[in-house]
Amino acid sequence: MASELEEAITTAGAVSPLIPKAISPLLLEYQRRYAPLLAAIPSRQWNSTQYFFNRRVARPDSGGVVDGGARPIGNSTYEQAVFNIRLFQAVGSVTGFAQTVTRDIVGDLRQLELDGTVTSMLWTLENSFVWGHDGATANGQYPICSGLDYLVSNWTAGTGSNNYVNALDINNTFGLHYLDQLIDLVETNAAMPIGSNFMFVMSPRMASAVSQSLVAQQRFAAPTTQIGAGLNVPTYRDIPIIKSSFLSPRSNTMGTVTTATSTSGGSLAAATYYYRVAAVVARFGEISASTEVSQTTTGSTSTVTLSFSTPTNLPDSATPVLYKVYRSTATGTESLIGTVDAFDTTGAATTSIIDTGANLLTNSSGNTGPTAYQGTNSGALPRGGANAQEDVYLIPRDENFLVRPYTRDMQILPLAPTVTAPDSLPFAVLCDTTLACRGSRYVGRLSRLSATL
């Protein structure tokens, strides 16, 4: 019997070229993300390249008065704000030949590619709505809109209508009391009850930490609510919890950064400057900042050049869309001095950043770039440490406070074959949109929070 089995195995090996290949018709989608944030933010059609709106920041004064007297005439104070509508685009194509020969396995190959491209676009939009920066990319070939990371960043109170704090730097392990602090922060700023008309936005890992905390307090499970068709989510204090993959903590770290200096062309004073650089990756998020590097300058007209290689070994072969530069004149105390495009004005990948003391230029000081630092914020600190750090947001679901204006919302545009590619079936997926935070005092943020499961 054994010899017969051996003979069968040997024979099968000899005729292997004649054995038909059986391929499962089920396609494994290897790349997956949570991206429900777009569905949860109110949207509005907007037929313009910019979204303008007005807001009242002060009401007329009022108070007591003597009999027959009169108070001075008072007026409301108004201001106007604007957000740029940005064009997001993806272009794809299959050939008629590929469409035909794959039909028995996958059906309609072109439709399969369209579905995948639309999903990829959703991920791109949500990543931009969390991590994007309009000003840093405005002069380049790939401009994107600003996201929550930039729009919700008042770690210290400003002046005038900006005189409030909407972000708390935790730099600690998660506890439910931090969510209570966040609710209280927004409720104090907004002077209105915070409940089901708002939502927490956090990573799946942080949502698990919330669930574990509820179990530990014998609440067992958070009640759920429906915030969209088929979208049932848990709540905390009646506030829905939305999970986003793009807020997940990242174990990836920015690679080695080297420094050099010049005594001319800038305005940096003589000192020792300490830097860390972090990358914001497409369809992924911000990774941990690089190891600290330093550079000593002389004179008062110096520049510092930070050089590095484009991060590799990122999930799904993703590449950076932004770089964030943190600087200080004391070791271990760096804060954000600016955000730059991951591509210079020619479209080449950024591999060096020049700190002039007034702005950050990419690859070459001869390139055109912003005339000032973009996104400078002394409260924004680099992520790092033994435990991966992430952010939690509390944002409104009310169009009066937060809205997504769009011109074309996920439009599929068929393209024509060309004389050089007559068998191609090309297409484009387009979306013109932005994230308009109409009132940032109605939004809150916990930064550098760690979830221990």
Side-chain angles (χ1 to χ4, degrees):
M1 180 64 182
S3 61
E4 293 176 358
L5 179 59
E6 290 172 0
E7 181 180 353
I9 293 175
T10 302
T11 303
V15 300
S16 59
L18 304 179
I19 300 175
K21 183 184 293 185
I23 301 177
S24 169
L26 299 178
L27 179 69
L28 171 62
E29 295 287 358
Y30 200 65
Q31 300 181 30
R32 292 181 179 272
R33 301 284 190 276
Y34 288 101
L37 184 57
L38 289 178
I41 297 175
S43 300
R44 171 176 288 273
Q45 177 81 40
W46 196 259
N47 295 323
S48 179
T49 59
Q50 292 181 302
Y51 177 76
F52 285 94
F53 65 95
N54 299 316
R55 54 193 175 203
R56 174 161 46 191
V57 296
R59 298 177 182 270
D61 190 21
S62 62
V65 67
V66 299
D67 183 25
R71 295 187 62 83
I73 295 176
N75 298 99
S76 297
T77 301
Y78 301 92
E79 64 183 20
Q80 190 171 85
V82 60
F83 289 88
N84 294 316
I85 303 289
R86 292 304 189 191
L87 167 61
F88 294 85
Q89 180 188 95
V91 180
S93 178
V94 299
T95 65
F97 177 72
Q99 175 90 333
T100 301
V101 299
T102 59
R103 192 175 300 278
D104 291 341
I105 299 297
V106 298
D108 190 337
L109 178 61
R110 186 172 185 271
Q111 186 60 49
L112 190 68
E113 281 295 297
L114 276 170
D115 294 343
T117 304
V118 169
T119 300
S120 178
M121 177 69 81
L122 290 173
W123 296 344
T124 295
L125 290 173
E126 183 144 328
N127 195 56
S128 181
F129 279 18
V130 175
W131 297 107
H133 197 293
D134 187 296
T137 59
N139 294 321
Q141 299 187 22
Y142 311 110
I144 58 177
C145 63
S146 291
L148 297 172
D149 181 55
Y150 172 69
L151 298 174
V152 191
S153 56
N154 283 19
W155 280 274
T156 56
T159 59
S161 62
N162 202 38
N163 186 20
Y164 57 88
V165 171
N166 63 7
L168 302 174
D169 183 52
I170 303 302
N171 196 26
N172 205 343
T173 304
F174 170 79
L176 277 179
H177 62 284
Y178 289 124
L179 295 186
D180 296 326
Q181 288 183 34
L182 185 56
I183 294 171
D184 181 68
L185 175 70
V186 176
E187 189 161 306
T188 300
N189 288 337
M192 63 180 289
I194 304 300
S196 60
N197 56 335
F198 279 71
M199 60 183 171
F200 288 112
V201 185
M202 62 184 68
S203 74
R205 180 180 178 87
M206 189 62 69
S208 295
V210 173
S211 178
Q212 287 187 351
S213 297
L214 293 175
V215 171
Q217 296 190 26
Q218 296 185 355
R219 302 179 192 178
F220 300 111
T224 61
T225 188
Q226 186 176 46
I227 65 170
L231 185 57
N232 293 306
V233 298
T235 63
Y236 176 71
R237 289 178 55 181
D238 296 327
I239 302 173
I241 297 174
I242 302 297
K243 294 186 288 187
S244 174
S245 293
F246 307 102
L247 284 169
S248 294
R250 306 304 183 187
S251 59
N252 307 80
T253 301
M254 183 73 181
T256 302
V257 176
T258 59
T259 63
T261 186
S262 172
T263 57
S264 62
S267 58
L268 288 175
T272 298
Y273 295 92
Y274 298 86
Y275 292 90
R276 297 182 69 185
V277 178
V280 176
V281 180
R283 293 172 293 176
F284 192 60
E286 182 177 350
I287 63 175
S288 296
S290 65
T291 301
E292 181 184 81
V293 294
S294 64
Q295 179 65 56
T296 300
T297 62
T298 58
S300 59
T301 58
S302 296
T303 66
V304 171
T305 299
L306 307 170
S307 300
F308 48 85
S309 298
T310 302
T312 57
N313 297 323
L314 297 171
D316 309 330
S317 301
T319 56
V321 292
L322 295 169
Y323 290 105
K324 300 170 75 171
V325 180
Y326 301 87
R327 187 190 72 190
S328 179
T329 53
T331 182
T333 61
E334 294 87 356
S335 62
L336 183 66
I337 63 162
T339 302
V340 302
D341 200 333
F343 302 90
D344 66 18
T345 53
T346 69
T350 296
T351 55
S352 66
I353 301 171
I354 300 174
D355 180 10
T356 70
N359 60 351
L360 296 172
L361 302 177
T362 54
N363 286 346
S364 169
S365 59
N367 285 339
T368 302
T371 58
Y373 293 119
Q374 298 296 308
T376 303
N377 197 317
S378 61
L381 307 178
R383 301 162 193 274
N387 296 321
Q389 296 178 323
E390 53 189 287
D391 297 338
V392 173
Y393 291 93
L394 177 59
I395 64 177
R397 297 195 296 130
D398 186 334
E399 181 182 332
N400 191 46
F401 308 132
L402 188 76
V403 65
R404 182 179 72 89
Y406 65 87
T407 303
R408 295 173 295 180
D409 196 14
M410 212 60 69
Q411 177 177 326
I412 297 174
L413 181 65
L415 304 178
T418 65
V419 293
T420 56
D423 193 36
S424 64
L425 302 172
F427 61 87
V429 178
L430 308 171
C431 185
D432 314 302
T433 190
T434 191
L435 179 64
C437 185
R438 292 167 52 96
S440 54
R441 68 169 62 241
Y442 297 89
V443 188
R445 174 184 185 179
L446 302 174
S447 67
R448 301 202 304 162
L449 196 60
S450 299
T452 301
L453 301 182

